[in-house]
C-alpha cells in the first residue's frame, strides 16, 4: 500500500472516511490497497502528511496487527536521505494508523509511462538517491524486501523510497506468514526464489533492476508469467542495452546471480555519487565519492534533479474559523520494541511539558511557501527574502528595553547559563505572539537548513515563560548528522535571536522572551538532552568588533558542507573562475606564481550570509607569503563581492553580502582567518 497515489494528487474523500486521525485533519485520499487506505492529512500547523489507516478486518487479525507494529518499529529506526520519515503512529487503536511526510509526485512506473526513461543527471541522481536510501535502511539493521518501481516516488526534490510493509530486521526476526513468498515478481532476487533468503543483497538486486528500468523503460527480465520471469531471473542475463557506462557496469554487478558478488548499498551509493558529481559543478570539488557523508548526497541530487514542482489545489483548503489555538494533541508514547504497550508514537523532535512529562508532541514543519531571510544584525527585520519594503527598526534591543518603565523581559543583564529542567519545563506556543514567533523561527531555520539539503530537519520550538527563554530543539530522530551539531546550534541561535530581538524592539512592554537555548535530544526520556548553545538577544545576533563583522571557524566549517542550493552552486562556480582570472591578471606584474587547479575553494554560510573563500596550504605554495595572501584578500573583496552583489541585483532571494578569506595550514589543518567584511560599504 503506497502513501502516494494517482501521481500524488489528492482524491475526494468517500463516505465513511474519517474527518480526523490522531492530530491530523483529513482532506481527501491519496490511495488505497488491500491493507488499508492512505488519506491526505494536514497537521495543526499546515504540514502535509500521508496517513495510512488499516482496514478494520485486517486490524482484527492478531498476526497482521503484529506485522503492523513491526512496520512501525522498523520505520522509526530508519532515517536518512531519500527516505520519507515516519511522523507519528498508533498501533493499538481500533483502526491502527501511521503518518509520514507527504511525498508529492508520480511513482517511477507512472513517470516512465508518461515521460519515458530518465536521462543525464536525473538518471545518476535517481541511482545515487535510491542507493543512499537503501544504505540508510541497511545501516539501521533493516531489509526492505519490496524494492520496486511502485515504491519509489519522484518528488520535485529527488527520489524517495517508501513502504516498509514487508520489511524485516536483518537478523532474520520478522512476523510473516509461513510459506508465503514476499516481494513482487521481476524484483525478487535469485536466492529468494531458490531458498526464500531476503537479505540486504536481495535489496541490491532489486535496486539494479529498477535503475535499469529507469534508464531504459524496459524490465530487465522482460514481461511474462511469474514462473517465466522467475526462470529468467535465476538463469538468464538481464537486458541492459542502452545503460550509460560505467553506470551499466555497476548495475550489472548488482544483478549478479550470486549475492556475494553484488556491491553493498553503501558501495553503490559511493560510486553513484562519484558519477553524479561528474554531471554537475559543485561548490566544493569532489575528487572521489569515497568518504562523502550520506547527507551530502542530497545537495548533488537536487543540483541535477529535474522534476516539476507540483501544486495540487486540493491541499489549499480553508481553515475552519475558530479562535482556538492550533496546538498539537499530546500523544502518549508506547513501547514499540518487543510488543507495543499501547498509545500513539511521535517520532520527530518532541518532549513533554511540566504537567505532561510523559507526553510526546509531534514537530510540524513550517508552512510551505514562506522563505524569510535570516537577517543577522541586531537591527535586521525578519522579512521574506528579497523584500525591502520593511524599514529597519532604528534602535537596539537595549534601547528599546530602556524606553519603557517596566519591560516584560527582565533578564537582559543576567549571564546565568541554562539550568537543568528549563527544557523539560518549556511548552508549546500558547498565545498568538508565541505562535507567530515559533513559525518565524522554524521558517528561518528551514531556509538555512535547506541550503545544505536538510530542509526536512525543522527544529522544535517551545517556550519557558519562567526562564524567559525560547527553546530550540532537534531530535530525538534528527536528520542532521551528530558531527554537524555545531551547524544546528548556529542556525538555532541565529533564528531564535533574530526573531526574539525584533519582538523585543517592537513590543518591549509585552514580549518576555529575550533568552534562547539550543538543545540536541538523544532520546525520548528526561535527561536525554544536551545544551548546544544559548544566548541573549539583547547582546545582538552577529559578531562585530568596532563595527566590523568577523568570520570564524564555525562559519568556515559550515561553508565546508557542500551546498544543495542551485543558485549557490552556480555563483560559486562562476566566482571561483573569476577569482582565478583576477589573480592571473596581476600575477605576472607582481611576480606571483599561478594558482593551481583546486587551490581555492568556496562555500556559503547561510547563518551569517557569508561567502567563505579558503585554500589548503603547506606553507610553501602560491599563498605561502604575505604578498600572496594580501593579493588573495584583495581579489576576493573586489571580484568576489562583485559577484555576490551582481547576483543580488537579479535574484530577489539572494542573501549573501559578506565575505571571509581563510587558509588551512599544514597536515594538522590549522586555520587562519585572513580577512572578513561586508560587500555593502557604508
Amino acid at each position: 500500500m503506497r502513501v502516494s497515489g494517482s501521481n500524488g494528487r489528492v482524491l475526494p474523500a468517500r463516505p465513511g472516511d474519517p474527518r480526523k486521525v490522531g492530530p491530523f485533519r483529513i482532506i481527501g485520499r491519496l490511495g488505497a490497497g488491500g491493507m488499508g487506505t492512505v488519506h491526505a492529512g494536514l497537521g495543526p500547523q499546515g504540514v502535509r502528511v500521508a496517513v495510512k489507516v488499516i482496514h478494520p478486518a485486517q486490524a482484527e487479525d492478531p498476526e497482521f496487527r503484529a506485522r503492523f507494529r513491526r512496520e512501525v518499529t522498523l520505520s522509526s529506526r530508519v532515517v536518512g536521505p531519500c527516505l520519507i520519515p515516519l511522523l507519528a503512529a498508533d498501533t493499538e487503536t481500533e483502526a491502527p494508523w501511521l503518518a509520514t511526510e507527504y511525498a508529492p509526485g508520480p511513482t517511477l512506473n507512472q513517470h516512465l509511462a508518461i515521460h519515458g526513461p530518465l536521462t543525464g543527471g536525473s538518471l545518476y541522481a535517481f541511482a545515487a538517491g535510491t542507493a543512499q536510501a537503501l544504505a540508510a535502511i541497511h545501516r539501521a539493521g533493516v531489509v526492505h524486501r519490496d524494492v520496486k518501481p511502485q515504491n519509489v516516488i519522484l518528488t520535485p526534490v529527488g527520489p524517495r523510497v517508501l513502504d516498509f510493509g514487508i520489511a524485516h530486521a536483518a537478523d532474520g526476526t520478522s512476523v510473516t506468514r509461513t510459506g508465503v513468498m514476499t516481494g513482487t515478481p521481476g524484483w525478487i532476487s535469485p536466492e529468494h526464489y531458490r531458498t526464500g533468503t531476503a537479505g540486504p543483497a536481495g535489496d541490491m538486486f532489486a535496486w539494479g533492476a529498477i535503475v535499469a528500468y529507469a534508464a531504459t523503460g524496459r524490465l530487465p527480465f522482460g514481461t511474462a508469467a511469474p514462473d517465466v520471469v522467475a526462470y529468467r531471473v535465476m538463469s538468464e542475463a538481464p537486458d541492459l542495452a542502452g545503460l550509460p557506462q560505467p553506470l551499466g557496469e555497476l548495475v550489472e554487478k548488482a544483478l549478479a546471480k550470486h549475492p556475494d558478488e553484488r556491491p553493498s548499498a553503501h558501495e553503490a551509493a559511493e560510486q553513484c555519487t562519484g558519477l553524479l558529481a561528474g554531471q554537475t559543478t559543485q561548490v566544493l570539488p569532489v575528487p572521489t565519492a569515497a568518504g562523502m557523508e550520506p547527507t551530502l548526497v542530497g545537495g548533488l541530487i537536487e543540483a541535477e534533479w529535474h522534476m516539476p514542482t507540483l501544486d495540487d489545489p486540493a491541499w489549499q483548503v480553508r481553515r475552519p474559523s475558530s479562535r482556538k489555538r492550533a496546538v498539537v494533541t499530546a500523544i502518549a508514547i508506547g513501547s514499540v520494541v518487543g510488543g507495543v504497550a499501547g498509545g500513539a508514537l511521535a517520532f520527530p523532535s518532541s518532549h513533554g511539558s511540566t504537567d505532561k512529562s510523559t507526553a510526546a508532541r509531534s514537530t510540524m514543519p513550517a508552512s510551505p511557501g514562506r522563505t524569510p531571510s535570516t537577517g543577522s544584525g541586531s537591527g535586521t527585520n525578519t522579512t521574506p527574502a528579497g523584500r525591502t519594503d520593511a524599514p529597519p527598526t532604528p534602535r537596539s534591543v537595549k534601547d528599546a528595553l530602556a524606553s519603557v518603565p517596566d519591560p516584560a523581559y527582565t533578564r537582559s543583564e543576567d549571564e546565568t547559563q541554562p539550568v537543568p529542567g528549563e527544557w523539560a519545563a518549556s511548552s508549546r506556543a500558547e498565545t498568538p505572539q508565541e505562535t507567530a514567533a515559533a513559525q518565524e523561527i522554524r521558517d528561518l531555520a528551514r531556509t538555512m537548513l535547506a541550503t545544505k539539503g536538510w530542509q526536512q530537519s525543522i527544529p522544535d520550538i517551545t517556550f519557558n515563560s519562567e526562564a524567559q527563554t525560547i527553546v530550540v530543539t532537534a531530535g530525538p530522530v534528527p536528520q542532521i548528522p551528530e558531527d554537524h551539531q555545531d551547524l544546528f546550534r548556529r542556525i538555532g541561535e541565529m533564528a531564535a535571536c533574530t526573531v526574539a530581538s525584533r519582538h523585543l524592539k517592537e513590543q518591549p512592554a509585552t514580549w518576555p522572551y529575550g533568552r534562547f537555548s539550543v538543545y540536541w535530544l538523544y532520546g525520548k526520556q528526561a535527561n536525554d538532552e544536551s545544551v548546544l548553545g544559548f544566548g541573549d538577544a539583547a547582546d545582538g545576533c552577529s559578531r562585530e568588533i568596532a563595527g566590523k563583522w568577523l568570520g570564524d571557524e564555525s562559519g568556515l566549517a559550515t561553508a565546508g558542507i557542500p551546498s544543495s542550493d542551485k543558485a549557490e552552486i552556480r555563483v560559486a562556480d562562476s566566482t571561483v573562475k573569476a577569482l582565478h582570472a583576477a589573480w592571473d591578471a596581476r600575477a605576472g606584474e607582481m611576480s606571483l606564481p599561478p594558482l593551481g587547479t583546486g587551490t581555492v575553494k568556496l562555500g556559503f554560510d547561510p547563518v551569517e550570509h557569508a561567502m567563505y573563500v579558503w585554500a589548503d596550504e603547506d606553507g610553501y605554495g602560491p599563498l605561502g607569503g604575505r604578498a600572496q595572501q594580501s593579493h588573495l584578500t584583495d581579489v576576493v573583496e573586489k571580484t568576489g563581492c562583485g559577484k555576490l552583489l551582481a547576483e543580488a541585483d537579479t535574484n530577489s532571494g539572494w542573501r549573501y553580502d559578506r565575505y571571509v578569506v581563510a587558509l588551512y595550514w599544514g597536515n594538522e589543518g590549522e586555520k587562519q582567518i585572513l580577512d572578513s567584511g561586508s560587500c555593502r560599504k557604508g
Side-chain angles (χ1 to χ4, degrees):
M1 179 172 58
R2 298 198 316 272
V3 295
S4 182
S6 188
N7 282 312
R9 298 291 181 179
V10 178
L11 305 174
R14 298 183 182 180
D17 282 356
R19 299 181 62 182
K20 193 172 184 180
V21 175
F24 307 108
R25 182 159 58 95
I26 303 303
I27 65 169
R29 286 189 171 203
L30 293 170
M35 291 193 301
T37 302
V38 183
H39 300 280
L42 290 173
Q45 296 177 356
V47 64
R48 302 175 182 184
V49 299
V51 185
K52 179 192 294 186
V53 179
I54 302 304
H55 288 319
Q58 299 280 18
E60 292 175 0
D61 180 355
E63 185 178 341
F64 180 89
R65 190 180 282 267
R67 291 203 307 276
F68 184 69
R69 291 190 190 110
R70 187 68 178 172
E71 177 180 2
V72 170
T73 302
L74 297 179
S75 296
S76 69
R77 283 164 49 181
V78 178
V79 178
C82 295
L83 292 168
I84 301 176
L86 180 65
L87 299 179
D90 191 341
T91 62
E92 299 307 302
T93 188
E94 182 178 356
W97 59 270
L98 64 79
T100 68
E101 289 185 358
Y102 168 66
T107 66
L108 177 61
N109 264 348
Q110 292 166 338
H111 179 86
L112 294 181
I114 298 172
H115 302 288
L118 301 179
T119 59
S122 291
L123 173 61
Y124 290 103
F126 176 86
T130 50
Q132 269 293 338
L134 290 177
I137 292 170
H138 296 166
R139 277 197 303 272
V142 177
V143 182
H144 190 290
R145 297 207 303 176
D146 200 21
V147 178
K148 59 185 179 182
Q150 298 94 315
N151 281 339
V152 180
I153 301 293
L154 307 189
T155 78
V157 295
R160 295 292 185 267
V161 176
L162 62 147
D163 205 337
F164 287 78
I166 60 173
H168 73 169
D171 61 8
T173 58
S174 61
V175 184
T176 55
R177 291 185 176 88
T178 304
V180 175
M181 173 70 72
T182 55
T184 303
W187 316 102
I188 297 175
S189 65
E191 65 272 16
H192 195 176
Y193 277 122
R194 292 190 180 101
T195 66
T197 303
D203 283 349
M204 290 310 297
F205 183 89
W207 174 83
I210 65 168
V211 173
Y213 182 44
T216 65
R218 302 187 309 274
L219 299 175
F221 295 99
T223 58
D227 57 338
V228 175
V229 172
Y231 173 80
R232 293 172 181 168
V233 166
M234 291 185 287
S235 306
E236 296 183 358
D239 175 10
L240 302 181
L243 263 76
Q245 297 300 326
L247 180 61
E249 297 174 358
L250 178 61
V251 169
E252 186 174 13
K253 292 179 181 178
L255 292 173
K257 304 302 182 187
H258 196 283
D260 291 342
E261 298 175 359
R262 298 173 202 148
S264 68
H266 176 72
E267 292 168 341
E270 283 191 338
Q271 294 185 47
C272 288
T273 301
L275 296 175
L276 176 59
Q279 298 291 308
T280 182
T281 301
Q282 294 302 305
V283 170
L284 301 177
V286 185
T288 174
M292 286 192 65
E293 298 175 33
T295 52
L296 306 187
V297 180
L300 296 174
I301 290 173
E302 282 202 52
E304 281 298 312
W305 187 253
H306 305 294
M307 293 289 164
T309 299
L310 304 177
D311 185 19
D312 187 349
W315 286 105
Q316 308 301 325
V317 295
R318 188 168 64 90
R319 294 181 180 272
S321 59
S322 173
R323 299 181 63 182
K324 294 182 179 180
R325 297 188 302 271
V327 180
V328 182
T329 303
I331 305 175
I333 296 180
S335 171
V336 295
V337 180
V340 178
L345 309 170
F347 295 98
S349 174
S350 56
H351 63 77
S353 61
T354 52
D355 58 336
K356 296 181 180 181
S357 60
T358 60
R361 292 166 291 184
S362 297
T363 298
M364 300 304 168
S367 301
R370 296 183 60 187
T371 55
S373 67
T374 57
S376 52
S378 61
T380 302
N381 282 334
T382 304
T383 58
R387 281 180 53 183
T388 58
D389 56 338
T393 303
R395 58 183 178 179
S396 70
V397 170
K398 291 187 177 181
D399 290 338
L401 295 175
S403 68
V404 295
D406 188 19
Y409 178 55
T410 61
R411 298 189 64 184
S412 60
E413 304 299 327
D414 184 352
E415 298 182 358
T416 304
Q417 297 186 14
V419 298
E422 285 190 11
W423 166 77
S426 66
S427 59
R428 294 196 178 279
E430 295 181 352
T431 69
Q433 282 181 312
E434 292 173 358
T435 300
Q439 185 68 54
E440 289 179 72
I441 295 170
R442 278 190 293 267
D443 286 344
L444 287 173
R446 177 168 59 180
T447 299
M448 290 184 274
L449 287 165
T451 68
K452 304 302 181 182
W454 297 330
Q455 59 269 33
Q456 304 300 328
S457 305
I458 309 302
D460 193 18
I461 309 300
T462 52
F463 298 85
N464 185 321
S465 57
E466 182 177 354
Q468 298 185 331
T469 300
I470 298 173
V471 180
V472 182
T473 54
V477 192
Q479 291 178 288
I480 301 175
E482 285 196 24
D483 57 353
H484 287 138
Q485 288 182 10
D486 189 55
L487 172 60
F488 179 80
R489 173 192 61 78
R490 298 181 67 240
I491 287 177
E493 288 179 347
M494 180 59 73
C497 186
T498 300
V499 173
S501 65
R502 182 174 64 80
H503 280 267
L504 286 172
K505 285 183 286 184
E506 294 178 353
Q507 307 159 56
T510 59
W511 181 254
Y513 301 105
R515 292 168 65 89
F516 50 86
S517 299
V518 182
Y519 287 82
W520 187 273
L521 306 187
Y522 293 96
K524 300 174 182 177
Q525 306 299 320
N527 302 319
D528 281 348
E529 80 277 5
S530 173
V531 180
L532 298 183
F534 62 94
D536 191 323
D539 293 333
C541 302
S542 184
R543 299 174 309 280
E544 291 187 4
I545 296 180
K548 180 178 175 63
W549 174 79
L550 303 175
D552 64 9
E553 291 188 9
S554 292
L556 183 59
T558 299
I561 303 172
S563 174
S564 65
D565 184 90
K566 293 183 179 180
E568 291 180 14
I569 294 172
R570 172 174 47 77
V571 172
D573 179 50
S574 63
T575 301
V576 168
K577 293 176 181 176
L579 293 176
H580 274 266
W583 173 282
D584 293 342
R586 294 183 59 197
E589 62 186 72
M590 297 180 65
S591 300
L592 299 178
L595 290 176
T597 301
T599 298
V600 172
K601 301 176 177 64
L602 190 155
F604 292 98
D605 173 21
V607 181
E608 295 277 7
H609 301 176
M611 170 186 70
Y612 278 72
V613 178
W614 70 95
D616 293 316
E617 273 299 316
D618 60 8
Y620 302 98
L623 297 174
R626 291 187 177 180
Q628 293 95 317
Q629 295 169 15
S630 176
H631 183 44
L632 177 64
T633 58
D634 185 60
V635 165
V636 172
E637 180 178 4
K638 294 178 180 177
T639 304
C641 277
K643 286 288 187 178
L644 296 186
L645 298 179
E647 180 68 18
D649 290 338
T650 59
N651 182 352
S652 62
W654 188 250
R655 302 180 297 276
Y656 299 99
D657 58 3
R658 292 168 168 170
Y659 70 91
V660 180
V661 187
L663 290 181
Y664 279 86
W665 292 96
N667 296 328
E668 300 300 322
E670 301 167 35
K671 307 173 185 67
Q672 177 185 359
I673 302 293
L674 299 179
D675 190 27
S676 63
S678 172
C679 293
R680 299 187 185 276
K681 303 301 181 182

